[in-house]
Amino acid sequence: MGTLSIPIPKDLKRTLSSAKCVVVITGAGISAESGVPTFRGEDGLWKNYRAEELATPWAFKKDPALVWQWYDWRRGIIGKAKPNPGHFTIAKMEKFYPEFTLITQNVDGLHRKAGSENVIEIHGNLWRVRCVEEGKTFYLNDVPLKEIPPRCSCGALVRPDVVWFGESLDPQLISKAHAALTSCDLLFVIGTSGVVQPVASFPSLAKQSGAQIIEINLDTTPISALADITLRGKSGEILPALFENMSLEAPKKC
Ligand code: OAD
């Protein structure tokens, strides 16, 4: 892994090695270097597709086959994608810090593939489906799908077990995320535009509880103003450079 091509703030090493309880929030940007499209920006999915026709409960009710065709296409891309050095470094951070929680908005499952264990998939998982009648969830890994729209063994339709626009997040996951955010001393916010609630408010929650914030992103976001340290560049380059070239001493237990 190369050295950082951006200036490393002087107190960064101290911040990284003194932290004990760490939370990482990720968005689509962490998977961009794995070839997974992001949502916003020049080549973002929402530039070319209308969210209201594909990612809402109303869209699914109107045309489940259309919604599933779009998800089948995304599953095809994601199925071929491999975790990148950013995902792998976050998995290593989990081993390094005594307390570690990863909150991801991504539904691609790449963090777990990279070895992360304590992952809160706050927007769900693209490989998991949910029966619209029974509510039961199960994994459906076929790419492409054998039938569109796919069905449960009970005969009812299944939907992707992801959070769509207009839907609430799982309250249990929210409270788990809140508990981690209000007790961490260091928060990384990586590859998210920071515009989708409630995750967009998570950094201020951690900040109010005394955490330092490090943002890693190609661009300035609404989170940047809150961040103590902003690192501009690709997460797949910055993260490995931070943790592999800095020979940090493992912190003691919380
Ligand atoms: P966005 O597409 O809104 O934002 C991606 C962010 O990643 C942008 O700020 C980019 O600058 C940054 N970025 C891109 N490539 C990067 C790289 N290699 N390294 C670092 N940063 C990079 O994606 P999210 O913020 O994840 O919701 O979007 C949030 C939610 O909006 C998604 O979970 C999805 C979407 O609608 C649901 O599906 C419910």
Side-chain angles (χ1 to χ4, degrees):
M1 264 349 117
T3 46
L4 272 181
S5 54
I6 52 165
I8 302 178
K10 252 204 263 151
D11 48 356
L12 180 54
K13 187 171 175 176
R14 197 171 349 107
T15 302
L16 295 180
S17 55
S18 60
K20 293 188 172 70
C21 305
V22 173
V23 173
V24 173
I25 296 173
T26 61
I30 188 86
S31 296
E33 289 155 79
S34 296
V36 180
T38 61
F39 292 93
R40 294 167 187 83
E42 274 309 297
D43 301 319
L45 290 175
W46 297 148
K47 227 13 191 225
N48 301 307
Y49 297 94
R50 289 166 61 83
E52 56 272 35
E53 282 170 13
L54 298 165
T56 65
W58 304 282
F60 187 72
K61 205 167 170 195
K62 187 173 147 217
D63 196 344
L66 176 72
V67 170
W68 265 116
Q69 275 157 13
W70 189 66
Y71 276 93
D72 195 38
W73 169 74
R74 284 181 62 198
R75 286 160 57 107
I77 295 172
I78 291 168
K80 289 194 199 104
K82 293 189 173 57
N84 67 55
H87 295 107
F88 286 120
T89 304
I90 292 172
K92 280 187 196 155
M93 288 164 71
E94 183 168 350
K95 308 247 174 326
F96 181 79
Y97 288 112
E99 297 281 335
F100 184 89
T101 306
L102 170 59
I103 303 167
T104 187
Q105 297 166 93
N106 300 345
V107 297
D108 56 30
L110 289 177
H111 282 300
R112 284 191 201 279
K113 249 190 178 172
S116 285
E117 287 172 16
N118 193 16
V119 190
I120 302 176
E121 290 179 318
I122 203 110
H123 287 166
N125 186 298
L126 190 82
W127 302 106
R128 205 169 53 226
V129 298
R130 187 162 84 234
C131 173
V132 298
E133 290 297 330
E134 301 168 314
K136 77 172 176 193
T137 60
F138 53 96
Y139 284 86
L140 190 60
N141 293 317
D142 303 331
V143 179
L145 287 161
K146 291 199 177 85
E147 58 167 345
I148 289 185
R151 291 184 179 273
C152 177
S153 55
C154 77
L157 289 174
V158 294
R159 56 163 283 178
D161 193 23
V162 299
V163 178
W164 281 330
F165 288 99
E167 294 184 318
S168 308
L169 275 59
D170 180 338
Q172 277 186 336
L173 296 186
I174 292 279
S175 60
K176 206 174 157 198
H178 276 198
L181 288 158
T182 51
S183 61
C184 71
D185 47 35
L186 180 60
L187 171 68
F188 286 82
V189 185
I190 305 170
T192 178
S193 55
V195 294
V196 175
Q197 295 293 355
V199 178
S201 309
F202 285 0
S204 50
L205 197 64
K207 184 92 181 173
Q208 280 157 26
S209 306
Q212 280 202 282
I213 299 180
I214 298 177
E215 183 188 51
I216 301 175
N217 199 303
L218 292 179
D219 294 322
T220 304
T221 74
I223 314 292
S224 309
L226 273 185
D228 299 278
I229 295 168
T230 52
L231 300 172
R232 294 274 161 262
K234 293 183 175 178
S235 47
E237 294 173 2
I238 293 178
L239 280 165
L242 286 185
F243 284 92
E244 283 173 19
N245 292 351
M246 291 185 76
S247 61
L248 300 173
E249 274 178 39
K252 296 185 179 68
K253 278 269 169 214
C254 295

